[in-house]
Amino acid sequence: MNMQVVLNQMIELFLLLGVGYFLYKIHIIDNVFNGQLNQFVLCVAIPCMILNSALTITKYQPIHRVLAVLLIALFIFLTLPIAGFLIAKICRVPKQDLGLCIFMTTFSNIGFIGFPVMMSIFGNESVFYTTIFNLVYNTLVYTLGYVLINIGTGQKADIHLKDIFSPATISCIVAFIIYLAHFHLPEVITKTIGTLGSMTSPLAMIIIGVTLANVSLKDVFSEVKIYPYTLLKQIVLPVLAYHLLHLFVHDALTLGVSVICIAMPVGTMAVLLTNRNGGNSELAAKNVFITTLVSIASIPVLVGLFLA
């Protein structure tokens, strides 16, 4: 794997993030438009990218390997809350922010940043593997996630079935069926779906840039308690995860996707849910910013040290 290529891809994604940040600052994009763009990416672009990943596969993996990836994803998402709890204790997180810390550690930004980063590092085949992780993610974030984020707040988890079956989740299920059935559509339809899906990377990074432009940089960098959390979440945890997972995950692509999923920055779902349910949404936004910024460097380093 050419590390220069990986680094260049991460820089490109960061520059796209900068475009979104700049466009917001000069008032070309506002929060209303960004919200509509967010809906387009969630409901159209990402589902199309997921479907395209299954429709364009020519080399199929045995069913037992696909199920193995599913089990690994389940294992990771069900053990990450333990890591989140330990990180919270190490960082002496206040009780009212304990659930937020566990949630941020468990549910990283696989949907927005994960797909473009995986494609950049591992190629198109990794998108389907990431789809499996995303299927588990979308199922658990609206169930287990609601429980985790309310730990220490006294709030009751409010789970909605419509949230679980989002367009991304439905497209993951359909892609899974397409893969198992070795199903293909006419080339012109597949290319149209692929074109819509290819919009995910630039639009997702622009959306993140606009979101981060709403956060005061002075307030972010002066929040000292974010730094030890970022170090543990973005660097220590993925390194430990690699050493644990490589003991029983022998497929290089599966191992790579698993480790990079863990190394993703804090997802914007943390901000959305704290805004909706009550919680420290400001702290969540600051962590999204810092971990996203750090991931531009930390992910290529992880790839170079362990996955190249």
Side-chain angles (χ1 to χ4, degrees):
M1 186 180 298
N2 190 326
M3 275 305 301
Q4 186 61 47
V5 173
V6 175
L7 183 59
N8 287 344
Q9 291 290 349
M10 293 302 297
I11 291 173
E12 181 182 339
L13 293 175
F14 180 72
L15 291 175
L16 287 168
L17 185 151
V19 169
Y21 188 97
F22 179 72
L23 291 177
Y24 179 82
K25 289 299 184 181
I26 62 174
H27 308 295
I28 290 179
I29 294 178
D30 59 15
N31 287 322
V32 174
F33 179 77
N34 195 50
Q36 294 168 338
L37 204 59
N38 186 80
Q39 283 297 103
F40 174 81
V41 171
L42 287 175
C43 298
V44 180
I46 287 179
C48 283
M49 183 176 65
I50 292 170
L51 292 175
N52 185 65
S53 71
L55 289 168
T56 56
I57 287 175
T58 55
K59 183 181 177 182
Y60 293 89
Q61 299 293 337
I63 185 64
H64 70 269
R65 179 168 292 180
V66 175
L67 293 175
V69 175
L70 182 62
L71 289 174
I72 290 166
L74 277 169
F75 171 78
I76 288 172
F77 280 112
L78 292 177
T79 53
L80 278 175
I82 300 172
F85 179 81
L86 293 175
I87 289 174
K89 291 302 179 183
I90 293 171
C91 296
R92 298 181 179 180
V93 172
K95 181 181 177 182
Q96 65 269 22
D97 294 329
L98 175 61
L100 175 60
C101 181
I102 296 173
F103 181 93
M104 291 190 301
T105 306
T106 304
F107 298 104
S108 298
N109 204 334
I110 295 176
F112 264 6
I113 298 182
F115 281 109
V117 168
M118 294 298 182
M119 186 178 291
S120 299
I121 297 173
F122 302 113
N124 192 55
E125 187 181 358
S126 66
V127 174
F128 182 72
Y129 282 62
T130 311
T131 294
I132 297 175
F133 271 80
N134 204 48
L135 175 60
V136 177
Y137 175 101
N138 281 306
T139 303
L140 293 181
V141 74
Y142 296 111
T143 50
L144 175 64
Y146 279 17
V147 175
L148 293 178
I149 204 167
N150 286 303
I151 293 175
T153 65
Q155 299 283 340
K156 185 179 178 181
D158 189 16
I159 299 170
H160 299 282
L161 198 61
K162 67 177 182 179
D163 291 333
I164 300 173
F165 290 100
S166 65
T169 307
I170 294 170
S171 62
C172 286
I173 295 171
V174 173
F176 200 70
I177 294 170
I178 289 172
Y179 182 88
L180 295 178
H182 295 192
F183 180 75
H184 292 281
L185 289 171
E187 184 179 2
V188 65
I189 297 177
T190 299
K191 282 189 174 182
T192 303
I193 293 173
T195 300
L196 286 167
S198 67
M199 299 170 72
T200 300
S201 297
L203 291 183
M205 299 311 297
I206 287 171
I207 290 167
I208 293 292
V210 174
T211 303
L212 297 181
N214 284 274
V215 181
S216 167
L217 293 181
K218 182 180 178 181
D219 290 344
V220 170
F221 290 110
S222 63
E223 190 79 63
V224 179
K225 61 184 178 182
I226 290 178
Y227 296 112
Y229 172 79
T230 300
L231 173 66
L232 291 170
K233 196 252 182 239
Q234 296 301 122
I235 299 173
V236 176
L237 180 59
V239 170
L240 292 176
Y242 168 80
H243 287 293
L244 172 64
L245 290 171
H246 97 284
L247 296 175
F248 59 90
V249 179
H250 304 297
D251 176 63
L253 182 57
T254 304
L255 178 61
V257 170
S258 300
V259 172
I260 299 303
C261 276
I262 295 170
M264 285 291 110
V266 172
T268 52
M269 279 299 298
V271 179
L272 296 177
L273 290 185
T274 48
N275 278 332
R276 170 177 154 175
N277 299 341
N280 199 339
S281 58
E282 183 178 341
L283 179 62
K286 289 176 180 178
N287 275 288
V288 169
F289 185 97
I290 290 292
T291 55
T292 300
L293 193 63
V294 169
S295 70
I296 303 300
S298 64
I299 289 176
V301 169
L302 287 168
V303 172
L305 291 176
F306 302 111
L307 304 174

